[in-house]
């Protein structure tokens, strides 16, 4: 039988067991000598040294006890405004000081268990002998062990209880409880050592705090709470005697089985009352109480008020999953122990008051909104709804909620229950994470800006069946062929989108075009710089499809990353504990957030600039941005996975980042575009929950303007357009792409250039255009002509030239005044201009100069005005 499943019941009432009288005699002879030496005040000798070295675990202040997890209504005063979320324990115990224990309880313990406690040195020889005889005779009125010995025995059993190895625990428990002379002698020796080190009051306090009171109830404070809904300090005389009675034989005398035939409500808890009244009689006998007190106490009925303590995170209601996450941190973070075994032992010993980072107002908003919009279950769909909020620059987890009821059972009864925390990683909640969809694009955006590209720089964003080869410095060049052919959900996007517009409208092909010019390994490394990791503990995928969000990541992880973006590129790891106090009031070290500069502030400013455009106007997150009040500057990014299986809204102010998702947890899924939840299309639920949560965050924390992005981050560099006229289309394509532009074939046009060569481009060669923009090249059909030179010719000569073959132009005339007599009657201009490509027979206008002599008098008068 494992130690975990045992109680201390056998240890509390057992004395010597059925051992032979010769063994008893041997023990008592040894005990008779040892206490005398211990009490004699002699200088240290070999004999007295036997009792000088006490094991550390016998320390009276090291007991397994209940720990509490709190949230606070005021982060500045976590203790003063604490609200209990849950308590947890291996043993329900609250260690209390001596002055917090009723004198009735102390006197009852001494009178009932060890009347000579104040006189002996740890072992009562007379009581031990009488106890042995009574045990062998079948009596059970009082054991032979002193209170100090009982304390030692309980400590030895506690040592076994916290062992993690079942075989070691079994051996330990057997050694601590087997009825042998060696065990009894060891207890006596240790009891004498305890008496040499501690005052009687401390020993009695330790005994009352460690004793078992039935089931998982340990210690006088927890027993008072559980059995009588009071505290150890406020116990009445009959209540105190009833509790001390339980210690003698917890199984027989405990008061939480009202249907018991021998000790139940029907017979007034007869077994407990009998033992209680015996203790009251002993208290009267030893002048601990007056006759009148005794009479009143004996006449009082045994009336338990069973008050089940909050145990486990299910008592935290909607905050249960956050509570569960806190317990996982307590068991796993190296701050609480060098290895898993040490952390588990510390966790089992408990006695902590844990103050968390949870913001109760924000948490309530998250719970309320999820309850309003996302059902706890849905026929044929394992539906999940999640909210994670993180403090920007602090890493504090402020809210964590999901649409399910929390259960600690491995196989919960009902689809509305789950023990899995959808918000966290597998190691801290059991979830394998979810595809974040397009919210993951922000890491490609970050890498794009890191590599010196600008937001208005354009890429090839055409829908293709084969994107060719992507660069990957980790795995080598990657080609996915026709297996990778992403589309844009709503048909949005042109052939040459900018990074900015691709972010605003979440254009898949725009981001794939960006990735084509980047390093897939670099994109993955940038995501990891924002503390992004696979929820199952594996490696992040870095193929081309991962750019648009196919990795499985926890919502909390994405909230941390968005907080990092909002924090000017500095990402802070999540923390959930703001303060932790031990049972003796000592403040303990707690895990601290680790903040790392994921990208330079200038890059983060560019990300913020682009992500802000998603929340306004025609941005994909505008529905969330418009519903948030009070308004503060926000950034955001939406995400929708294939077939709208999962939908996301992720965003942040300068103070709080929040991720909201409606997800498919497992099995068959629903396309959220065609599924209604509580009267709303499921795909839009995120745009109701996110603004409701962030509206509370904005009201509580406010929000500052994000830093301005530099012109170099926003505006693409202008570079010269190469002049490719007369080149073959293939050579023109190479030259245009080498200059950083997107080549577009504009088709055939009439030109005097040789057929098949480039007739002209738009923009024209020699002009400037933004890097990445498209240059359209037109191929000559070889039939065109250029307007010949006729300026300076007479009208007649110009007409003759223009109408003759191969031109055959239709000529129109305009006159223009000129003061140059030499231009009179001559062509001064031609429209279109000379050298312009045209088709034979097109209209051409010639401008003829008409001489007008200048008016000298008018000029003189003008000067004198």
């Amino acid at each position: 039988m494992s130690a975990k499943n045992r109680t201390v019941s056998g240890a509390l009432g057992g004395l010597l067991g059925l051992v032979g009288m010769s063994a008893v005699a041997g023990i008592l002879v040894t005990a008779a000598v040892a206490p005398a030496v211990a009490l004699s005040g002699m200088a240290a000798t070999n004999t007295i040294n036997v009792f000088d070295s006490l094991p550390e675990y016998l320390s009276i202040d090291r007991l397994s006890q209940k720990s509490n997890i709190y949230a606070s209504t005021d982060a500045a005063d976590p203790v003063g405004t604490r609200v209990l979320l849950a308590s947890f324990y291996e043993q329900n115990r609250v260690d209390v000081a001596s002055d917090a224990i009723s004198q009735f309880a102390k006197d009852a313990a001494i009178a009932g268990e060890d009347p000579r406690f104040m006189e002996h040195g740890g072992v009562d020889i007379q009581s031990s002998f009488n106890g042995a005889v009574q045990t062998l005779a079948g009596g059970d009125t009082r054991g032979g062990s002193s209170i100090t010995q009982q304390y030692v025995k309980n400590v030895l059993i506690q040592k076994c209880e916290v062992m993690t190895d079942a075989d070691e625990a079994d051996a330990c428990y057997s050694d601590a409880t087997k009825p042998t002379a060696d065990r009894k002698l060891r207890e006596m020796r240790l009891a004498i050592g305890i008496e040499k080190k501690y005052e009687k009051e401390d020993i009695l306090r330790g005994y009352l705090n460690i004793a078992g009171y039935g089931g998982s109830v340990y210690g006088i404070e927890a027993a008072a709470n559980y059995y009588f809904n009071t505290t150890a300090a406020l116990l009445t005389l009959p209540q105190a005697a009833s509790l001390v009675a339980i210690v003698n034989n917890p199984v027989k005398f405990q008061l939480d089985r009202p249907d018991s035939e021998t000790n139940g409500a029907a017979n007034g808890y007869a077994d407990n009352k009998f033992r209680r009244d015996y203790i009251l009689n002993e208290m009267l006998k030893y002048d601990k109480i007056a006759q009148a007190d005794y009479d009143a106490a004996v006449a009082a009925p045994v009336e338990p008020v069973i008050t089940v303590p909050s145990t486990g995170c299910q008592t935290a209601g909607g905050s249960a999953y956050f509570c569960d996450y806190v317990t996982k941190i307590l068991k796993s973070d190296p701050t609480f122990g060098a290895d898993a075994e040490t952390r588990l032992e510390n966790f089992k010993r408990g006695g902590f008051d844990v103050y968390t980072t949870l913001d109760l107002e924000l948490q309530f908003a998250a719970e309320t909104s999820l309850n309003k919009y996302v059902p706890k279950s849905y026929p044929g769909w394992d539906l999940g709804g999640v909210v994670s909020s993180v403090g920007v620059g602090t890493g504090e987890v402020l809210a964590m909620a999901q649409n399910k009821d929390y259960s600690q059972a491995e196989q919960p009864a009902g689809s509305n229950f789950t023990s899995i925390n959808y918000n966290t990683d597998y190691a801290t909640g059991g979830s394998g994470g979810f595809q974040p969809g397009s919210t993951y694009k922000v890491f490609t955006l970050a890498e794009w800006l890191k590599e010196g590209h600008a937001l208005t720089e354009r890429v090839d964003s055409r829908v293709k069946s084969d994107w060719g080869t992507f660069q990957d410095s980790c795995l080598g060049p990657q080609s996915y062929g026709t297996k990778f052919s992403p589309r844009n959900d709503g048909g949005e996007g042109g052939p040459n989108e900018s990074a900015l517009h691709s972010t605003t409208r979440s254009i898949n092909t725009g981001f794939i075009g960006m990735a084509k010019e980047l390093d897939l390994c670099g994109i993955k490394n940038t995501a990891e710089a924002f503390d992004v990791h696979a929820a199952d503990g594996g490696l992040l995928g870095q193929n081309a499809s991962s750019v648009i969000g196919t990795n499985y990541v926890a919502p909390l992880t994405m909230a941390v990353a968005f907080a990092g973006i909002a924090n000017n590129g500095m990402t802070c790891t999540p923390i959930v504990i703001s303060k932790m106090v031990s049972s003796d009031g000592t403040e303990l070290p707690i895990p601290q957030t680790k903040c790392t500069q994921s990208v330079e502030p200038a890059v983060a400013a560019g990300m913020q600039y682009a992500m802000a455009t998603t929340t306004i106007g025609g941005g994909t997150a505008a529905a969330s941005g418009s519903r948030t009040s009070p308004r503060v500057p926000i950034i955001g990014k939406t995400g929708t996975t294939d077939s709208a299986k999962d939908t996301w809204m992720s965003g942040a102010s300068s103070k709080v980042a929040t991720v909201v998702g409606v997800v498919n947890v497992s099995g068959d899924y629903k396309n959220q575009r065609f599924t209604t939840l509580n009267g709303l299309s499921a795909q839009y639920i995120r745009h109701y929950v996110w603004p409701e949560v962030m509206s509370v965050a904005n009201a509580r924390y406010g929000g500052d303007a994000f830093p301005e992005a530099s012109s170099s981050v926003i505006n693409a560099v202008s570079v010269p357009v190469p002049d490719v006229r007369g080149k073959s289309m293939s050579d023109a394509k190479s030259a245009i792409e080498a200059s950083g532009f997107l080549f577009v074939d504009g088709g055939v046009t009439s030109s005097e250039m040789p057929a098949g060569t480039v007739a002209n481009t738009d923009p024209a060669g020699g002009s400037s255009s933004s890097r990445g923009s498209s240059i359209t090249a037109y191929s000559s059909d070889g039939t065109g002509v250029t307007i010949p030179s006729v300026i300076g010719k007479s009208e007649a000569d110009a007409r003759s030239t223009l109408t003759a073959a191969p031109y055959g132009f239709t000529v129109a005339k305009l006159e223009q005044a000129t003061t140059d007599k030499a231009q009179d009657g001559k062509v001064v201009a031609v429209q279109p201009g000379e050298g312009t490509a045209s088709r034979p027979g097109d209209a051409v206008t010639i401008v003829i100069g008409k001489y007008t002599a200048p008016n000298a008098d008018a000029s003189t008068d003008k000067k004198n005005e």
Side-chain angles (χ1 to χ4, degrees):
M1 180 172 66
S2 72
K4 184 177 181 180
N5 294 325
R6 296 191 188 96
T7 66
V8 193
S9 58
L12 301 177
L15 183 57
L16 294 179
L18 299 178
V19 296
M21 287 301 294
S22 59
V24 173
I27 295 169
L28 296 180
V29 167
T30 304
V33 175
V37 175
L39 295 173
S40 66
M42 294 170 58
T45 65
N46 288 338
T47 303
I48 201 69
N49 283 341
V50 174
F51 311 108
D52 279 343
S53 299
L54 287 173
E56 189 272 337
Y57 56 76
L58 281 175
S59 174
I60 287 177
D61 60 355
R62 296 190 75 241
L63 296 176
S64 295
Q65 55 183 307
K66 181 171 67 173
S67 289
N68 301 308
I69 295 178
Y70 297 100
S72 304
T73 57
D74 183 355
D77 183 20
V79 177
T81 61
R82 64 185 182 183
V83 175
L84 180 66
L85 293 180
S87 298
F88 58 93
Y89 49 81
E90 289 289 318
Q91 298 177 356
N92 178 19
R93 175 187 286 109
V94 178
D95 197 9
V96 291
S98 181
D99 59 6
I101 302 173
S102 164
Q103 190 62 42
F104 289 138
K106 298 175 187 177
D107 291 341
I110 294 173
E113 296 295 322
D114 188 1
R116 285 175 288 278
F117 172 69
M118 301 304 294
E119 291 88 44
H120 64 64
V123 178
D124 186 341
I125 302 303
Q126 177 180 339
S127 181
S128 295
F129 182 81
N130 291 340
V133 172
Q134 290 178 9
T135 298
L136 291 172
D140 64 351
T141 300
R142 178 188 296 141
S145 296
S146 69
I147 282 177
T148 313
Q149 287 174 263
Q150 291 183 52
Y151 169 76
V152 168
K153 187 171 185 178
N154 276 284
V155 170
L156 294 175
I157 292 174
Q158 291 291 302
K159 179 174 176 287
C160 305
E161 292 287 344
V162 297
M163 287 184 172
T164 56
D165 184 277
D167 292 336
E168 290 183 6
D170 285 340
C172 175
Y173 190 86
S174 175
D175 187 53
T177 58
K178 60 185 177 182
T180 65
D182 286 344
R183 176 187 67 79
K184 198 64 180 178
L185 183 56
R186 179 181 59 178
E187 285 180 7
M188 290 178 175
R189 286 172 173 168
L190 291 174
I192 294 169
I194 290 289
E195 293 270 354
K196 284 171 55 60
K197 183 175 181 179
Y198 294 105
E199 299 292 335
K200 290 286 186 178
E201 182 180 43
D202 293 330
I203 297 171
L204 180 60
R205 177 184 69 84
Y207 167 72
L208 288 170
N209 276 323
I210 199 173
Y213 291 81
S216 61
V217 181
Y218 291 81
I220 190 71
E221 178 72 9
N225 298 160
Y226 178 64
Y227 287 112
F228 295 110
N229 192 27
T230 188
T231 65
L234 298 178
L235 286 169
T236 65
L237 174 57
Q239 288 173 342
S242 273
L243 293 184
V244 173
I246 296 173
V247 174
N248 183 262
N249 190 331
V251 174
K252 182 177 181 179
F253 298 135
Q254 67 190 87
L255 297 172
D256 56 357
R257 296 179 299 171
D259 297 331
S260 170
E261 294 182 0
T262 60
N263 189 49
N267 62 15
Y269 299 91
D271 284 347
N272 181 278
K273 187 176 188 306
F274 178 82
R275 178 68 186 179
R276 181 201 73 173
D277 291 351
Y278 163 78
I279 292 171
L280 290 169
N281 187 67
E282 292 295 286
M283 294 176 74
L284 178 64
K285 174 181 174 181
Y286 289 103
D287 296 325
K288 299 298 183 183
I289 56 175
Q291 183 67 49
D293 295 329
Y294 169 79
D295 293 340
V298 168
V302 177
E303 295 178 325
V305 182
I306 302 300
T307 307
V308 179
S310 62
T311 170
C313 286
Q314 70 269 18
T315 64
S319 304
Y321 293 99
F322 173 83
C323 171
D324 184 82
Y325 182 51
V326 174
T327 66
K328 297 298 194 302
I329 297 300
L330 288 169
K331 292 180 181 180
S332 63
D333 195 284
T335 304
F336 303 114
D339 51 54
E341 183 175 350
T342 302
R343 292 191 291 270
L344 182 60
E345 181 176 346
N346 289 336
F347 181 77
K348 284 184 173 182
R349 287 192 177 277
F352 308 129
D353 281 340
V354 181
Y355 300 96
T356 68
T357 60
L358 192 70
D359 182 315
L360 287 174
E361 286 193 37
L362 205 60
Q363 177 69 16
F364 180 74
E367 294 172 23
T368 301
S369 194
L370 281 179
N371 288 336
K372 185 192 306 183
Y373 298 112
V374 186
K376 295 182 184 297
S377 60
Y378 190 96
W381 183 18
D382 192 0
L383 169 64
V386 294
V387 176
S388 280
S389 293
V390 174
V392 172
T394 67
E396 293 181 345
V397 180
L398 303 175
M400 181 180 290
Q402 64 192 58
N403 67 316
K404 299 292 186 179
D405 293 318
Y406 179 78
S407 171
Q408 291 176 312
E410 292 185 5
Q411 294 182 332
S415 58
N416 59 305
F417 288 97
T418 185
S419 60
I420 298 173
N421 188 344
Y422 302 150
N423 282 283
T424 60
D425 292 337
Y426 183 84
T428 51
S431 172
F434 305 92
Q435 291 186 352
S438 293
T439 59
Y440 199 85
K441 291 174 181 174
V442 296
F443 308 119
T444 297
L445 176 64
E447 183 68 7
W448 177 260
L449 298 176
K450 276 177 59 180
E451 291 300 311
H453 298 281
L455 290 174
T456 58
E457 186 175 331
R458 296 176 180 275
V459 296
D460 182 358
S461 55
R462 293 170 292 181
V463 175
K464 303 176 184 179
S465 60
D466 186 350
W467 279 85
T469 300
F470 290 79
Q471 296 304 308
D472 190 324
S473 61
C474 298
L475 304 176
Q478 303 293 311
S479 179
Y480 303 99
T482 57
K483 295 179 180 179
F484 180 64
S485 182
R487 299 290 190 271
N488 296 315
D489 285 345
E492 68 274 9
N496 189 214
E497 292 291 354
S498 69
L500 179 59
H501 192 246
S502 292
T503 303
T504 305
R505 295 296 304 156
S506 195
I507 300 170
N508 287 340
T509 53
F511 275 91
I512 299 302
M514 292 160 66
K516 192 77 166 56
E517 299 188 19
L518 299 171
D519 177 5
L520 293 179
C521 184
I523 295 172
K524 183 205 72 167
N525 291 340
T526 295
E528 290 176 338
F530 281 100
D531 202 34
V532 175
H533 52 274
D536 64 2
L539 299 176
L540 283 178
Q542 61 191 64
N543 56 15
S545 63
S546 69
V547 169
I548 50 179
T550 57
N551 279 301
Y552 284 81
V553 179
L556 177 61
T557 296
M558 293 301 290
V560 167
F562 272 67
I565 297 169
N567 192 35
N568 302 324
M570 181 170 286
T571 305
C572 299
T573 56
I575 55 170
V576 292
I577 301 172
S578 60
K579 186 176 183 179
M580 189 165 169
V581 180
S582 67
S583 57
D584 64 0
T586 302
E587 190 166 341
L588 302 174
I590 57 175
Q592 301 294 320
T593 186
K594 298 177 181 177
C595 296
T596 305
Q597 195 70 48
S598 308
V599 294
E600 291 301 313
V603 171
M607 297 176 72
Q608 294 161 357
Y609 180 93
M611 292 167 64
T613 67
T614 71
T615 68
I616 58 176
T620 56
S624 281
S626 63
R627 292 189 176 101
T628 307
S629 179
R631 297 296 296 273
V632 302
I634 58 174
I635 60 175
K637 187 70 191 72
T638 55
T640 302
T641 60
D642 287 346
S643 301
K645 179 180 178 181
D646 305 319
T647 56
W648 299 96
M649 173 58 204
S650 302
S653 67
S654 64
K655 303 297 183 182
V656 177
T658 294
V659 168
V660 170
V662 177
V663 299
N664 180 75
V665 178
S666 64
D668 296 335
Y669 66 91
K670 302 288 186 183
N671 188 315
Q672 293 188 30
R673 295 187 182 92
F674 312 116
T675 305
T676 300
L677 298 176
N678 293 335
L680 290 174
S681 175
Q683 66 176 323
Y684 297 130
I685 296 296
R686 54 186 162 160
H687 295 308
Y688 286 85
V689 177
W690 192 90
E692 288 187 4
V693 174
M694 284 300 292
S695 291
V696 174
N698 292 352
R700 286 180 60 73
Y701 299 96
D704 302 321
F706 292 104
E708 290 187 11
S710 68
S711 175
S712 61
V713 167
I714 298 173
N715 299 312
V717 175
S718 290
V719 294
V721 177
D723 187 353
V724 293
R725 288 178 301 170
K727 294 181 180 289
S728 68
M729 291 293 280
S730 61
D731 287 347
K733 182 176 186 294
S734 297
I736 287 171
E737 290 181 343
S739 297
F741 298 106
L742 171 65
F743 174 85
V744 177
D745 187 341
V748 178
T749 187
S750 178
S751 169
E752 83 288 0
M753 292 292 185
T757 65
V758 176
N760 61 287
T761 60
D762 183 20
S767 64
S768 294
S769 188
S770 298
R771 185 173 65 182
S773 61
S774 58
I775 305 296
T776 303
Y778 298 92
S779 175
S780 173
D781 64 2
T783 64
V785 293
T786 59
I787 295 175
S789 175
V790 295
I791 294 176
K793 291 186 177 184
S794 66
E795 178 182 350
D797 288 345
R799 284 181 179 276
S800 176
T801 301
L802 293 171
T803 58
Y807 308 113
F809 295 127
T810 300
V811 180
K813 183 184 81 167
L814 291 175
E815 289 185 346
Q816 178 178 303
T818 177
T819 58
D820 185 352
K821 196 170 184 178
Q823 291 182 335
D824 186 48
K826 304 292 179 68
V827 177
V828 296
V830 61
Q831 300 170 350
E834 294 176 351
T836 302
S838 298
R839 296 177 182 275
D842 282 354
V844 174
T845 300
I846 56 175
V847 180
I848 305 299
K850 185 175 182 180
Y851 175 72
T852 302
N855 187 331
D857 293 339
S859 298
T860 301
D861 292 342
K862 188 73 174 177
K863 288 180 181 178
N864 294 330
E865 286 180 358

